[in-house]
Amino acid sequence: MKYQIRKKLIIFGAALFLFRCSSDQKKNSMIDTKNTTINKKVDSLLSKMTIEEKVGQMNQYNGFWDVTGPVPEEGNAKNKYEHLRKGWVGSMLNVRGTENVKAVQRIAVEETRLGIPLIIGFDVIHGYKTLSPIPLAEAASWDLKAIEKSSRVAAIEASASGINWTFAPMVDISRDVRWGRVMEGAGEDPYLGSKVAKARVKGFQGDDLSKNNTIAACAKHFAAYGFSEAGKEYNTVDIGTSTLHNMVLPPFKAAVDAGVKTLMNSFNELNGVPVTASKYLQRDILKDKWNFDGFVISDWASINEIIIWGHAENKKEAAKLAATAGSDMDMEGYVYVKELANLVKEGTIKEEIVDDAVRRILKVKFELGLFDDPYRYCDATNEKENIGTKEHHDAVLDVAKKSIVLLKNENNILPLKKKGQKIALIGPLADDKNSPLGSWRLGSDDNTAISLLEGMQNYKENTLVFEKGVDLFNGDVAFTQQVHVNTTDRSKISKAVAAAKNADVVIMTLGEHGFQSGEGRSRTEIDLPGLQQELLEAVYKVNKNIVLVLHNGRPLAIEWADENIPAIVEAWQLGSQSGNAIAEVLYGDYNPSGKLPMTFPRNIGQTPIYYNYKSTGRPNKEPHVFWSHYIDSENTPLYPFGHGLSYSSFEYTNFTVHGGNSFSVNDTVKVSVDLKNTGAIDGKEVVQLYIRDLVGSVTRPVRELKGFELVPLKAGESKTITFNLSKNELGFFNNDGDFIVEPGKFQVFIGGSSITKLEKSFELIKK
Ligand code: NOJ
């Protein structure tokens, strides 16, 4: 009988396998047919185009409303309209709203000779109108489904507003908290960064790009922009091949494997070559080695900047270098439109280079369905009905809660009691409805976030008083302007201190304004800006029962707070639902589960500090001074990568490497651990797995994240968590950029942060 059942199960399993294979084959062959059809259409259109029309497809202009970069002399509306009508523009950015998009699309489709539709790009970075947490915060959720959903919501809203291409995800790995743009990425780790890149690409592009609610994604900034020297914006980058291949490139490769349609290059140079002119990156690696068949857009006027870097003499040379290197589209640079046709006519550039770029661009336009209906993203009813919906607000609230990281919680000061408490809410950001929206949110409206004050007011059975304490700024703050931090006006501090004296618990909301991080916002100090530290210390003198809620777009150095304040909550900039999300966590209606995607330094001098560092030749503390350290600071970070607490507690037992401790380099090594929620309430833990390859032909980091799982557990519940380490996890890129797995000894670590002590070892031997 048993045998009969087993036999039936085997037959069923085999049938299912065959069905799956055949349906996969069917899907693949449908994709092949679609590609062939599109390629034919592209070729046929290309054969009708003049050289000027081809170059026009490689030209992108900024629209007439928002600006996200310096406006060049030629960038006046008269020139733009004239060029649009001639068919010299293939794309526009910063045009939004169905009416506006329709207006420019109509010119391209109805007034030009070939009627080729525009592709409309926009920085949809963490939501369009309804805002999710900033990307760095979302990465702290380690919840790939929630991240994908957040990008999906962004795509639905942006596409409803006429946009069909986002300049996201930013997948730059960065270790330098001084760099303002760390807020836009997924932090310091290439493994987590790759998973998040894939989730975001899937969220934006969906399963079918030709639907009117999916948009093309753009992995940026290719490459190494996150390694700008000293964290200074737009600075030079000088890194070795090992860092390039093992740290910088993996998230881009993950995005390409996930089917990302476009990449954006960047403002930095890499080892002496401005990357916009880098053939090595764009042609050799991206298009040849990785077989990327989408297109590459320059960053804003970065083709011009090849000249300013001192790598090309003039626009003509810059155009030649960029096009030859594989930069397919010129963003607001006016270089291709001015130079490229002549360069081809005089024989300096082969027409095939232009044809290759145009083919790639047209292909994406066909895939988006723009040739079937150029106005498919311009439906005013869709725009009215699908932006800012309750469902979207629920989704961003969900991911906002998941992004919060509980950094410290002594004496169980959190969660707060719901009744009978006098609470003083203090700080310049507590009633701010703008700052929690973060940077890069041009499609949204100012002052639309739920502030923490509003979120706290939902809990009515406590007494709540609010005092600002200090203002963060003198005057207003805006996306394109420098911020002027208040360092002199202390007039409100005494009122805040009085409120604190009277309270059972003080919630202090301090940190950076949403526009103190982002593009052009590098900082040399990373403590609490302005008078906030002074305010914190003044309040602490009268009431030590403080919960510090941080708002920030980058890790901050808060060593004093860590030493003195009993509870610290990392609340980043959480988007439209910020205050509701934080209040739910403070009151325990949501049990926090976020983990840091970036190391928190103790002080600015430790920067760059990251968990996957190299051993050095002298790593160990010695009685003398001749070891790798600072004489005035510890080597350890304030909070390590992967750190985050919960209101539950978790116990790890039975850590096992299965199948002995010696494996062939081709084997998959299975490891497992039992996780138990030993707390009194249900919670979630991000189980993290790290490896160390002890000896490498290229030295390996002391730890490398190679697996993680977000595990929900009821109070008292246990679960066995299993990881499989294959070649992909155990290998690395050598200095020629080749992926290799080397025999030798490995350590493997499992736990709830990158400094976990649970350790096992195994060896890989030659086959
Ligand atoms: C410059 C930024 O570096 C890039 O990320 C952005 O997409 C473009 N401006 C367009 O706004």
Side-chain angles (χ1 to χ4, degrees):
M1 182 62 186
K2 259 191 193 156
Y3 170 76
Q4 285 298 330
I5 293 174
R6 202 178 316 141
K7 198 168 154 196
K8 274 186 189 156
L9 276 176
I10 291 171
I11 292 170
F12 176 73
L16 194 69
F17 177 73
L18 287 176
F19 172 75
R20 280 236 179 96
C21 288
S22 80
S23 80
D24 280 354
Q25 273 165 5
K26 218 176 187 176
K27 208 168 153 193
N28 286 343
S29 86
M30 272 162 65
I31 292 172
D32 283 350
T33 320
K34 204 170 168 186
N35 272 341
T36 318
T37 319
I38 287 181
N39 289 341
K40 276 190 189 149
K41 287 181 182 169
V42 168
D43 281 339
S44 143
L45 182 53
L46 198 65
S47 68
K48 298 186 189 110
M49 294 170 80
T50 63
I51 185 65
E52 284 78 13
E53 284 162 343
K54 290 179 185 175
V55 171
Q57 287 305 303
M58 299 168 72
N59 183 30
Q60 184 191 58
Y61 283 156
N62 189 55
F64 314 105
W65 301 276
D66 309 308
V67 278
T68 50
V71 182
E73 242 172 66
E74 307 94 316
N76 57 58
K78 184 174 164 281
N79 266 348
K80 284 179 183 171
Y81 277 120
E82 215 174 86
H83 289 187
L84 257 173
R85 292 204 167 91
K86 286 181 176 163
W88 287 5
V89 185
S91 172
M92 292 193 84
L93 81 151
N94 291 336
V95 182
R96 62 192 163 93
T98 52
E99 276 313 303
N100 293 331
V101 171
K102 212 186 251 175
V104 288
Q105 194 67 291
R106 188 172 287 141
I107 300 175
V109 174
E110 292 172 28
E111 296 185 34
T112 65
R113 190 178 78 91
L114 292 170
I116 300 174
L118 298 165
I119 174 170
I120 304 288
F122 197 72
D123 290 286
V124 186
I125 306 297
H126 55 109
Y128 181 66
K129 184 80 86 186
T130 312
L131 294 174
S132 298
I134 56 168
L136 182 67
E138 264 191 8
S141 73
W142 298 54
D143 186 329
L144 300 173
K145 283 205 181 102
I147 292 172
E148 182 179 333
K149 171 85 187 181
S150 153
S151 299
R152 190 85 283 284
V153 165
I156 291 170
E157 294 202 351
S159 59
S161 189
I163 291 150
N164 36 54
W165 176 23
T166 173
F167 305 129
M170 185 184 102
V171 303
D172 294 311
I173 297 299
S174 182
R175 301 161 161 179
D176 200 320
V177 299
R178 291 170 292 186
W179 191 47
R181 296 195 83 167
V182 299
M183 55 83 44
E184 259 182 90
E188 74 189 34
D189 182 66
Y191 183 87
L192 177 62
S194 299
K195 301 282 178 203
V196 172
K198 182 177 170 194
R200 291 195 168 131
V201 169
K202 275 173 72 186
F204 288 129
Q205 295 192 169
D207 294 332
D208 179 358
L209 203 59
S210 71
K211 284 190 182 152
N212 72 350
N213 68 5
T214 53
I215 59 181
C218 177
K220 70 187 187 186
H221 303 86
F222 197 64
Y225 183 31
F227 280 74
S228 291
E229 202 172 85
K232 191 171 91 174
E233 186 64 298
Y234 314 131
N235 208 359
T236 189
V237 176
D238 239 304
I239 55 170
T241 41
S242 176
T243 303
L244 178 67
H245 291 290
N246 291 292
M247 297 292 156
V248 170
L249 294 181
F252 288 100
K253 176 68 164 56
V256 168
D257 290 345
V260 73
K261 291 295 160 191
T262 70
L263 263 80
M264 185 187 292
N265 57 39
S266 47
F267 295 124
N268 58 289
E269 64 161 34
L270 175 63
N271 304 336
V273 178
V275 297
T276 308
S278 171
K279 176 177 167 293
Y280 174 63
L281 286 172
Q282 298 173 105
R283 269 209 210 279
D284 301 351
I285 293 182
L286 177 66
K287 291 175 179 172
D288 291 348
K289 196 168 173 187
W290 296 353
N291 277 324
F292 172 65
D293 66 353
F295 69 89
V296 178
I297 178 156
S298 80
D299 203 342
W300 183 291
S302 67
I303 302 180
N304 303 54
E305 291 182 11
I306 300 173
I307 308 167
I308 311 169
W309 273 108
H311 189 65
E313 202 166 320
N314 49 34
K315 287 192 177 184
K316 187 172 172 184
E317 199 186 352
K320 182 184 141 202
L321 284 172
T324 314
S327 297
D328 301 308
M329 191 181 271
D330 175 3
M331 179 193 286
E332 189 68 3
Y334 297 82
V335 178
Y336 282 177
V337 71
K338 188 159 175 270
E339 305 291 348
L340 220 45
N342 285 338
L343 281 166
V344 171
K345 283 181 194 162
E346 71 183 35
T348 311
I349 284 189
K350 286 200 184 120
E351 190 156 357
E352 288 95 84
I353 288 186
V354 170
D355 285 353
D356 175 57
V358 178
R359 255 196 204 100
R360 290 167 181 273
I361 294 163
L362 292 177
K363 183 164 179 281
V364 175
K365 291 186 178 183
F366 272 109
E367 288 169 340
L368 282 164
L370 288 167
F371 281 94
D372 299 328
D373 175 7
Y375 305 111
R376 68 186 325 161
Y377 294 87
C378 298
D379 173 352
T381 317
N382 183 19
E383 185 173 33
K384 222 166 152 193
E385 287 173 358
N386 282 313
I387 296 183
T389 61
K390 158 114 185 27
E391 192 201 333
H392 292 177
H393 277 277
D394 288 348
V396 301
L397 173 60
D398 179 62
V399 70
K401 290 188 277 195
K402 291 172 172 167
S403 304
I404 293 171
V405 184
L406 181 61
L407 294 175
K408 187 179 171 192
N409 189 20
E410 263 175 22
N411 316 326
N412 292 332
I413 180 170
L414 288 175
L416 299 173
K417 295 193 190 81
K418 287 190 176 159
K419 272 187 193 163
Q421 298 280 291
K422 273 193 248 156
I423 296 186
L425 178 62
I426 296 174
L429 295 167
D431 68 336
D432 198 322
K433 293 175 68 59
N434 215 22
S435 175
L437 299 175
S439 194
W440 282 117
R441 34 94 173 177
L442 284 171
S444 186
D445 300 319
D446 281 348
N447 295 310
T448 50
I450 304 285
S451 70
L452 181 54
L453 177 62
E454 289 169 323
M456 294 291 288
Q457 282 165 343
N458 292 335
Y459 293 82
K460 297 192 187 331
E461 294 182 63
N462 281 335
T463 314
L464 182 70
V465 290
F466 163 63
E467 286 296 337
K468 242 186 163 65
V470 293
D471 289 313
L472 203 43
F473 298 112
N474 301 317
D476 290 338
V477 275
F479 177 63
T480 50
Q481 280 162 22
Q482 299 285 358
V483 290
H484 300 285
V485 177
N486 164 38
T487 52
T488 49
D489 182 2
R490 296 176 165 83
S491 58
K492 295 197 238 333
I493 294 184
S494 56
K495 270 178 114 182
V497 170
K501 231 184 223 167
N502 241 330
D504 297 311
V505 185
V506 183
I507 313 286
M508 302 237 19
T509 315
L510 307 175
E512 294 178 305
H513 187 277
F515 288 138
Q516 276 180 302
S517 57
E519 188 177 348
R521 264 68 173 197
S522 295
R523 290 179 64 197
T524 61
E525 300 291 346
I526 48 151
D527 44 13
L528 298 168
L531 298 170
Q532 296 182 98
Q533 180 68 28
E534 201 174 310
L535 173 70
L536 180 60
E537 290 182 32
V539 168
Y540 178 77
K541 276 196 188 122
V542 299
N543 192 338
K544 300 198 170 12
N545 234 4
I546 298 177
V547 177
L548 171 60
V549 175
L550 287 174
H551 281 300
N552 42 332
R554 54 155 75 77
L556 296 178
I558 47 155
E559 207 171 15
W560 185 91
D562 177 65
E563 272 164 25
N564 295 287
I565 304 300
I568 307 179
V569 176
E570 175 50 79
W572 315 102
Q573 284 123 11
L574 292 173
S576 303
Q577 288 290 329
S578 176
N580 286 336
I582 303 167
E584 281 194 41
V585 165
L586 295 182
Y587 275 105
D589 284 337
Y590 186 82
N591 187 357
S593 54
K595 301 275 188 180
L596 293 178
M598 203 168 176
T599 304
F600 269 51
R602 295 176 180 278
N603 52 59
I604 189 79
Q606 288 184 312
T607 302
I609 182 169
Y610 44 95
Y611 85 94
N612 45 6
Y613 58 90
K614 298 287 185 76
S615 157
T616 80
R618 298 182 181 189
N620 297 323
K621 192 167 183 161
E622 302 282 352
H624 52 72
V625 296
F626 306 115
W627 61 288
S628 178
H629 72 302
Y630 299 102
I631 59 170
D632 58 354
S633 176
E634 297 207 20
N635 273 354
T636 55
L638 190 62
Y639 302 115
F641 175 86
H643 168 74
L645 306 173
S646 157
Y647 299 146
S648 308
S649 46
F650 298 96
E651 185 183 78
Y652 289 78
T653 52
N654 293 329
F655 181 17
T656 314
V657 175
H658 296 262
N661 58 6
S662 175
F663 303 89
S664 135
V665 283
N666 296 321
D667 284 345
T668 294
V669 181
K670 181 175 157 189
V671 300
S672 69
V673 73
D674 292 343
L675 180 74
K676 182 172 184 189
N677 180 348
T678 51
I681 57 168
D682 303 350
K684 278 184 275 179
E685 167 77 329
V686 181
V687 179
Q688 301 158 46
L689 178 141
Y690 297 85
I691 63 159
R692 178 173 186 181
D693 179 350
L694 283 160
V695 179
S697 56
V698 176
T699 59
R700 312 303 315 131
V702 296
R703 288 197 181 185
E704 293 179 273
L705 181 73
K706 291 295 175 182
F708 66 86
E709 191 176 325
L710 176 63
V711 187
L713 285 181
K714 300 220 171 305
E717 194 188 353
S718 300
K719 198 179 165 194
T720 302
I721 312 300
T722 305
F723 294 97
N724 289 309
L725 297 170
S726 70
K727 275 182 166 180
N728 291 342
E729 287 77 31
L730 298 172
F732 64 90
F733 290 93
N734 65 15
N735 282 342
D736 298 322
D738 296 326
F739 192 77
I740 55 169
V741 189
E742 290 184 339
K745 291 189 173 129
F746 283 76
Q747 287 171 315
V748 53
F749 308 87
I750 277 193
S753 92
S754 61
I755 56 166
T756 172
K757 293 203 164 51
L758 269 187
E759 177 197 328
K760 294 273 166 195
S761 52
F762 62 85
E763 189 168 1
L764 289 187
I765 49 170
K766 258 198 204 129
K767 192 79 189 150

